[in-house]
């Protein structure tokens, strides 16, 4: 991970500050993370050897509430990456008006190389190391890349053992049987779908005439593909970490999902009951997928996928960022010059943290909601904040990313100023 990732992430604020109502004191506070933690996690491997893994947790800002953010397990995890993700989470929570600050965590590991027992030891060891750094009123972890409800259950259990009391609200994204929320597993995809459905009519882009390519067929990407497919969009390409498939006539998403669940790979197939037939398709790389001539391009994998190097290959009309930070600031400028609309991650993928908030509320109240209630509240939140950000875009004639940051900055600035600023203390 480049050391400049955080510096690049910070550039998102430059344009937004011209339009935001925020004090110099607040701007200064937002330049730096509140606190960062780096830990070593010793894990006894199945063969008896001892390995040490590096772990991180960054709480960027907690002015509006406890830190909130996922934990990812990935070989490229670094402090710079985690700090950048915590920065984005700060603005994401403010953009959709959640009473949270921004945080993020990670462990530098390839989880695919670990046995299930080793994965559990690593996960419990991570919580042992950061237990004093998190809590229901301090910082609340959640799933991210290569972490899942089972791992969140281990987190909650280990934290509860350490503190000698059951504490379900310390972690979100847990299994339902351990206090998880209905709808959390599909929340990121559902939130993105509501944003797409809210904005596409403004461009006279009906679903049945819209082609879609999705980079990243993990939890968020696969669920979003299903939602779009069921709504009539034509999904022509999907990819995972090993590569992708493309069919101009469109892909049968339910069949592809069933195939991946059983075979752990992608194949363009059509299944009717138990009979599956391979359909004509092209095999393509993740890079090739980004350059397809489609209406909607949805990066749903990792950050820094669209850069100065490949941005000139982008042909899509609209980009919806389901991944965190998939587009660099330099690429953003070129996309704007090409007339390509980019709908930013801090809005598009905010469904996950929104339902994480719902789970936290349910854990603290002891009152649990139905799936219908969760989805209704999520849709209301996503549509409401999307329309507010669209209004800011129209008012100042700026792009959607800048408008989203303006929206978030205004809320953060108000909270930070409530604690006192230079103007207040000088009586001006």
């Amino acid at each position: 991970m480049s050391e400049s990732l955080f510096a690049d992430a910070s550039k998102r604020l430059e344009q937004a500050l011209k339009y935001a109502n925020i004090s110099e004191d607040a701007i200064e506070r937002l330049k730096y993370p509140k606190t960062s933690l780096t830990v070593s996690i010793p894990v006894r491997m199945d063969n008896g050897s001892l390995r040490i893994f590096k772990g991180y947790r960054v709480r960027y800002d907690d002015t509006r509430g406890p830190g909130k953010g996922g934990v990812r397990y990935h070989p490229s995890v670094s402090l710079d990456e985690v700090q950048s993700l915590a920065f984005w989470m700060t603005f994401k929570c403010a953009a959709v008006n959640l009473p949270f600050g921004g945080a993020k965590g990670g462990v530098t590991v390839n989880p695919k190389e670990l046995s299930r027992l080793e994965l559990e030891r690593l996960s419990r060891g991570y919580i042992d190391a950061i237990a004093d750094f998190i809590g229901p009123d301090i910082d609340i972890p959640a799933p991210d890349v290569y972490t899942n409800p089972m791992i969140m259950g281990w987190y909650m259990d280990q934290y509860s053992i350490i503190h000698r009391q059951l504490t379900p609200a310390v972690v979100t994204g847990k299994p339902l049987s351990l206090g998880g929320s209905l709808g959390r597993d599909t929340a990121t995809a559902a939130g993105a779908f509501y944003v797409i459905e809210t904005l596409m009519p403004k461009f006279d882009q009906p679903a049945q005439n819209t082609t879609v390519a999705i980079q990243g067929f993990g939890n968020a990407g696969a669920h979003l593909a299903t939602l779009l497919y069921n709504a009539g969009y034509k999904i022509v390409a999907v990819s995972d970490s090993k590569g992708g498939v493309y069919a101009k006539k469109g892909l049968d998403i339910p069949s592809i999902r069933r195939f991946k669940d059983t075979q752990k790979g992608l194949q363009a197939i059509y299944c009717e009951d138990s009979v599956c037939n391979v359909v004509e398709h092209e095999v393509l790389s993740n890079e090739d997928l980004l350059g397809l001539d489609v209406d909607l391009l949805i990066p749903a994998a990792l950050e820094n996928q669209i850069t100065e190097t490949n941005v000139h290959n982008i042909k899509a009309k609209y980009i919806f960022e389901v991944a965190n930070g998939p587009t660099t600031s330099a690429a953003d400028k070129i996309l704007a010059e090409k007339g390509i609309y980019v709908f930013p991650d801090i809005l598009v993928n905010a469904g996950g943290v929104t339902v994480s908030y719902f789970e936290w509320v349910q854990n603290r109240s002891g009152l649990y909601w139905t799936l219908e209630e969760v989805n209704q509240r999520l849709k209301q939140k996503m549509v409401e904040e999307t329309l507010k950000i669209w209004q800011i875009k129209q008012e100042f004639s700026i792009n959607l990313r800048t408008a989203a940051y303006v929206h978030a900055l205004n809320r953060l600035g108000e909270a930070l100023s409530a604690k006192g600023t230079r103007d207040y203390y000088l009586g001006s």
Side-chain angles (χ1 to χ4, degrees):
M1 184 58 59
S2 168
E3 290 184 3
S4 65
L5 180 61
F6 178 67
D8 188 70
S10 301
K11 290 179 183 177
R12 307 298 195 192
L13 299 184
E14 292 176 7
Q15 282 294 106
L17 287 171
K18 300 176 184 177
Y19 307 97
N21 180 23
I22 186 170
S23 69
E24 290 183 11
D25 287 22
I27 295 170
E28 190 67 17
R29 289 274 296 276
L30 289 170
K31 287 181 181 178
Y32 310 97
K34 179 170 183 179
T35 184
S36 302
L37 181 66
T38 300
V39 298
S40 296
I41 310 164
V43 176
R44 184 66 62 187
M45 308 302 285
D46 291 345
N47 65 5
S49 66
L50 184 70
R51 283 185 63 185
I52 308 296
F53 297 90
K54 273 192 172 181
Y56 308 94
R57 188 71 186 174
V58 174
R59 189 157 64 252
Y60 197 90
D61 182 81
D62 56 8
T63 307
R64 288 170 45 86
K68 189 78 190 77
V71 179
R72 62 176 50 181
Y73 290 175
H74 196 273
S76 70
V77 166
S78 66
L79 181 60
D80 178 58
E81 179 187 42
V82 172
Q83 179 170 298
S84 302
L85 293 164
F87 172 87
W88 282 319
M89 282 298 301
T90 299
F91 292 92
K92 185 187 302 183
C93 290
V96 292
N97 203 23
L98 302 179
F100 286 144
K104 209 75 178 184
V107 178
T108 308
V109 61
N110 183 352
K112 297 177 182 179
E113 295 176 351
L114 303 184
S115 71
R116 293 182 180 182
L117 284 170
E118 290 167 341
L119 189 63
E120 180 179 5
R121 293 182 204 120
L122 174 69
S123 301
R124 290 183 181 274
Y126 177 67
I127 294 302
D128 284 342
I130 69 166
D132 295 331
F133 199 76
I134 61 173
D137 297 305
I138 303 170
D139 184 356
I140 306 137
D144 198 81
V145 175
Y146 293 134
T147 54
N148 57 28
M150 174 69 80
I151 292 172
M152 295 306 110
W154 291 333
Y155 283 0
M156 188 274 283
D157 184 56
Q158 191 64 22
Y159 183 89
S160 297
I161 289 170
I162 292 167
H163 289 270
R164 295 184 179 275
Q165 59 181 7
L166 189 62
T167 316
V170 70
V171 175
T172 59
K174 305 178 295 295
L176 290 176
S177 58
L178 296 178
S181 174
L182 292 166
R184 177 60 184 88
D185 57 337
T186 58
T188 301
F193 177 73
Y194 295 140
V195 173
I196 292 170
E197 287 283 272
T198 301
L199 292 175
M200 282 296 92
K202 297 184 181 298
F203 297 92
D204 295 322
Q205 186 74 45
Q208 61 270 23
N209 296 335
T210 303
T211 54
V212 184
I214 301 177
Q215 183 208 40
F217 206 64
N219 182 56
H223 281 302
L224 180 56
T226 299
L227 290 169
L228 292 171
Y229 177 85
N230 291 339
Y233 292 80
K234 183 190 286 187
I235 317 296
V236 297
V238 297
S239 67
D240 61 13
S241 59
K242 297 176 183 176
V245 291
Y246 167 73
K248 188 174 182 179
K249 294 181 180 179
L251 298 167
D252 186 66
I253 297 301
S255 296
I256 292 175
R257 287 194 66 181
R258 286 199 294 273
F259 182 86
K260 178 165 184 180
D261 288 344
T262 56
Q263 305 297 322
K264 307 303 179 186
L266 290 179
Q267 177 84 284
I269 60 174
Y270 173 77
C271 295
E272 190 168 352
D273 296 326
S274 61
V275 179
C276 294
N277 296 306
V278 177
V279 299
E280 186 176 346
H281 68 278
E282 297 177 33
V283 175
L284 77 173
S285 67
N286 276 286
E287 192 67 27
D288 292 335
L289 181 143
L290 294 174
L292 290 175
D293 187 4
V294 293
D295 297 309
L296 268 61
L297 174 61
I298 301 176
L302 295 171
E303 59 271 2
N304 284 359
Q305 298 300 300
I306 302 174
T307 67
E308 277 185 293
T309 305
N310 63 10
V311 67
H312 296 287
N313 299 329
I314 304 296
K315 301 181 185 70
K317 298 175 185 175
Y318 314 99
I319 298 174
F320 285 85
E321 298 181 331
V322 173
N324 289 306
T327 311
T328 65
S329 58
D332 245 350
K333 295 177 183 177
I334 298 170
L335 290 170
E337 291 168 2
K338 293 177 69 173
I340 296 172
Y341 287 88
V342 180
F343 303 95
D345 49 357
I346 66 168
L347 169 64
V348 177
N349 70 21
V353 71
T354 299
V355 178
S356 275
Y357 165 61
F358 295 165
E359 181 175 330
W360 180 74
V361 168
Q362 292 171 81
N363 290 158
R364 293 172 71 91
S365 68
L367 179 65
Y368 289 82
W369 306 339
T370 65
L371 180 59
E372 183 180 358
E373 287 176 307
V374 170
N375 287 334
Q376 181 181 359
R377 291 170 190 261
L378 175 61
K379 182 176 182 179
Q380 180 181 350
K381 171 68 73 176
M382 297 304 297
V383 171
E384 180 181 317
E385 299 301 335
T386 297
L387 292 175
K388 286 179 180 178
I389 290 169
W390 179 262
Q391 187 176 356
I392 292 170
K393 170 204 164 14
Q394 298 293 88
E395 180 182 349
F396 294 111
S397 297
I398 54 181
N399 62 48
L400 259 294
R401 189 187 306 283
T402 302
Y405 274 93
V406 170
H407 194 40
L409 276 168
N410 285 338
R411 284 175 172 154
L412 284 163
E414 183 179 356
L416 287 161
S417 295
K419 295 185 177 182
T421 63
R422 182 183 64 176
D423 290 343
Y424 169 79
Y425 291 116
L426 294 179
S428 59

